[in-house]
Amino acid sequence: MNILIVTPTYNERENITAFVQAVLAELPSAHLLVVDDASPDGTGTIADTLAQAEPRLHVLHRKGKEGLGRAYVDGFRWALKRGYDRIIQMDADFSHDPKDLPRLLNASETADLVIGSRYVGGVRVLNWPLRRLMLSYGAGIYVRMLTRMPVMDPTGGYKCFRREVLEAISLGAIAAEGYGFQIEVNHAAWQKGFRLKELPIVFADRTAGTSKMSLAIAREAIVLVLRLAVRARFRRPGNAREVDAS
C-alpha cells in the first residue's frame, strides 16, 4: 500500500519537529504531508527544512488561514493525484497518538473509513475540563439524534480512509471549514454505503501550542448538522450501513 498521513498546521512550531519524527518512526513505509496555512510562527519553514533531509516528508503551503476543512480537502486532493491507497488524517499536537497509526491502518483492511473514537466503549479523554468534555460528548448525541448516523464520535479527527471513499464523496461539495468538516465527511461516507468502523483511542489534550476552537467554528457545526438532518429526512441513505464499533 501507498500510505499518506495528512496533517494541517497553523502555529505548531513547538510540536512539528517531534511530530514528524514520531509519525515517520511509527510507519516507516508511509509518507507525511504537512498542509501549512502560512503559520506566522514559521511552522511551514521548519517543515521545509525537515523535508530537505527527509524524502518521506512533503509540505503543501497555502496562502493563509483558510480553515481546517479546506486544508484537509487540499491535502486529500494532493494524495489522490499521487495515487495513495490509504490516507490518514491526524493533528500535529500529539492529541492523536502516533502509536495508534498501525492500528488504524490494520483496521482499514476490513473498513473503508476507520474513525479513532474517544467515546466508543467508554470515555477516553485526558486533561480536558469537564465543560469541554460534556460539550464534545453532547455534540455526538446531537449529531446522532438529528442525522441518525450511528457514530459515537462524529467530531473525531483521527481517521484512515481508503482512497475509494475520498474519490466517491465529492470533496468539492464539502462546505464546512472548521471541525464540522469531520461530521460532514463521516455523513457523506455513511450515506454512500461505505463500511465505517470506530476504533477506541485515548485522546490527550495538547501540551504545547494553542487550540484552534472558536465560537464561530462551533456555530458552523451546529448549522451543518441541521442541514444534514434535513438532507437525511428527504433523502434517506438507502445504502447506509451500521457502524462497526470495536
Side-chain angles (χ1 to χ4, degrees):
M1 289 185 294
N2 294 322
I3 306 158
L4 181 71
I5 298 118
V6 178
T7 301
T9 56
Y10 186 79
N11 287 349
E12 294 288 355
R13 67 173 296 128
E14 296 175 77
N15 295 307
I16 190 63
T17 299
F19 172 79
V20 169
Q21 293 170 348
V23 166
L24 295 180
E26 205 60 51
L27 286 183
S29 63
H31 286 196
L32 171 60
L33 174 67
V34 171
V35 184
D36 187 67
D37 275 8
S39 296
D41 72 348
T43 300
T45 301
I46 296 171
D48 283 336
T49 300
L50 295 171
Q52 291 175 7
E54 175 50 78
R56 295 173 294 167
L57 175 61
H58 312 276
V59 186
L60 177 60
H61 293 277
R62 304 203 309 158
K63 60 184 179 181
K65 191 175 182 182
E66 300 173 8
L68 181 74
R70 294 297 96 198
Y72 272 127
V73 167
D74 287 348
F76 293 163
R77 285 174 170 160
W78 191 97
L80 293 175
K81 286 180 181 178
R82 289 159 179 81
Y84 289 95
D85 304 309
R86 297 288 192 278
I87 298 94
I88 299 172
Q89 65 166 71
M90 65 186 300
D91 294 343
D93 60 6
F94 286 100
S95 57
H96 298 147
D97 189 346
K99 292 187 181 301
D100 286 323
L101 285 166
R103 296 177 59 233
L104 266 70
L105 191 61
N106 289 338
S108 73
E109 293 295 325
T110 57
D112 302 304
L113 168 54
V114 182
I115 302 167
S117 178
R118 298 165 290 186
Y119 305 125
V120 68
V123 176
R124 290 169 307 281
V125 178
L126 304 179
N127 303 323
W128 265 9
L130 182 59
R131 180 182 178 187
R132 185 172 179 186
L133 177 61
M134 295 302 294
L135 181 63
S136 175
Y137 192 83
I141 296 173
Y142 172 70
V143 172
R144 288 192 298 278
M145 287 181 59
L146 268 67
T147 69
R148 293 173 289 179
M149 180 174 64
V151 174
M152 287 297 296
D153 191 5
T155 61
Y158 202 178
K159 299 176 185 175
C160 179
F161 298 87
R162 286 175 173 261
R163 69 173 289 119
E164 294 84 0
V165 177
L166 297 179
E167 289 174 329
I169 64 175
S170 184
L171 292 172
I174 300 295
E177 296 180 0
Y179 291 94
F181 168 83
Q182 315 295 1
I183 303 169
E184 192 169 9
V185 169
N186 292 341
H187 192 265
W190 176 63
Q191 285 215 320
K192 289 283 186 180
F194 285 108
R195 299 166 298 173
L196 274 61
K197 179 181 180 68
E198 286 194 271
L199 191 71
I201 63 165
V202 174
F203 179 95
D205 196 15
R206 64 163 64 235
T207 58
T210 58
S211 172
K212 311 305 186 296
M213 178 58 74
S214 68
L215 286 176
I217 289 173
R219 283 194 296 267
E220 179 194 54
I222 291 170
V223 173
L224 168 70
V225 173
L226 291 171
R227 180 166 55 82
L228 293 179
V230 171
R231 180 189 303 173
R233 181 176 297 274
F234 291 100
R235 190 178 65 198
R236 290 179 63 89
N239 296 322
R241 301 168 180 253
E242 288 299 308
V243 175
D244 181 14
S246 61

